[in-house]
Amino acid sequence: NQHFREVSTTVWCVIVLTCMAMGLLTLLAISKNVDEQAGRREPSALTATLMAAAPALHAAPMLCMVFLAGRMRVLQLTDNLGEPPIWVKAAMIGATACAVTHAVLVLLSPTIIGSHAKSDPQCGAPDIHHVINAPEEHYSQRYSVALLRAMLAVLMNVCFAVVCFGICTFQYSRVRAGKAPPVSPAVGCTLLL
């Protein structure tokens, strides 16, 4: 009779962030191909919205790497038996929730503010500030969306900092020889990225 530990918070957060990023980027690639095959010179509303949401995914790989580095550090110090403190787990979940909520908010913003994302005619890159160009009757919605996006970004960075702090300060009472080894160069470099 074998006993398996439940899936760690780190792995769940990495799975969620990876699925979100791969799902959005796959939809974007399909949408761009459909636009191209249809001979459109301008991206469709769906493509423009997905292009505007793509920058919201930039934090996902870094969050995944820091979460995994933290998990490796805990396993190093606990002979593969320990878990990070509950406050570090909560920060991982918080950062993941902020990243997912931010991407969903960007995807829903055309519906909320009544304005589709526009692309820059010079380079084709999405104009992520399409919220500012929303119709005047959606004044409160566009600034609410902008404020919520800013708050999510700040909260995600705070959660990220908490995870980094937890990695560097994690102590385990049964560490060999009574003293925890220093943070390894690999984990340190990952935190600095």
Side-chain angles (χ1 to χ4, degrees):
N1 196 8
Q2 294 181 343
H3 173 70
F4 295 100
R5 292 176 15 185
E6 65 182 56
V7 178
S8 71
T9 302
T10 301
V11 173
W12 276 116
C13 290
V14 169
I15 288 171
V16 168
L17 290 169
T18 302
C19 289
M20 175 192 70
M22 291 303 295
L24 281 175
L25 293 175
T26 300
L27 286 174
L28 177 59
I30 291 169
S31 184
K32 281 183 173 181
N33 284 330
V34 168
D35 287 353
E36 192 174 296
Q37 294 300 320
R40 292 188 183 111
R41 293 183 182 262
E42 293 290 320
S44 65
L46 176 63
T47 303
T49 302
L50 290 170
M51 287 172 64
L57 304 175
H58 291 318
M62 278 64 80
L63 289 173
C64 289
M65 292 308 298
V66 168
F67 295 168
L68 290 174
R71 179 78 178 149
M72 288 172 23
R73 173 75 173 158
V74 168
L75 292 176
Q76 172 197 17
L77 294 177
T78 63
D79 293 325
N80 296 326
L81 298 174
E83 290 285 328
I86 192 74
W87 54 274
V88 173
K89 290 180 184 181
M92 288 180 185
I93 293 168
T96 301
C98 287
V100 171
T101 304
H102 185 257
V104 169
L105 185 63
V106 173
L107 288 172
L108 294 179
S109 64
T111 305
I112 296 169
I113 63 173
S115 172
H116 290 289
K118 306 277 190 275
S119 59
D120 186 338
Q122 303 247 331
C123 64
D127 175 13
I128 60 172
H129 304 291
H130 67 281
V131 172
I132 305 303
N133 302 324
E136 192 59 38
E137 64 268 12
H138 299 291
Y139 178 82
S140 63
Q141 289 98 325
R142 68 181 175 191
Y143 287 107
S144 297
V145 167
L147 180 63
L148 186 55
R149 287 178 65 185
M151 289 182 351
L152 285 169
V154 168
L155 183 58
M156 182 175 62
N157 284 305
V158 167
C159 290
F160 175 81
V162 168
V163 171
C164 291
F165 179 77
I167 291 170
C168 294
T169 61
F170 180 75
Q171 296 293 322
Y172 188 63
S173 60
R174 293 184 290 167
V175 173
R176 293 172 292 252
K179 184 175 179 190
V183 174
S184 70
V187 173
C189 289
T190 302
L191 292 177
L192 290 176
L193 288 176

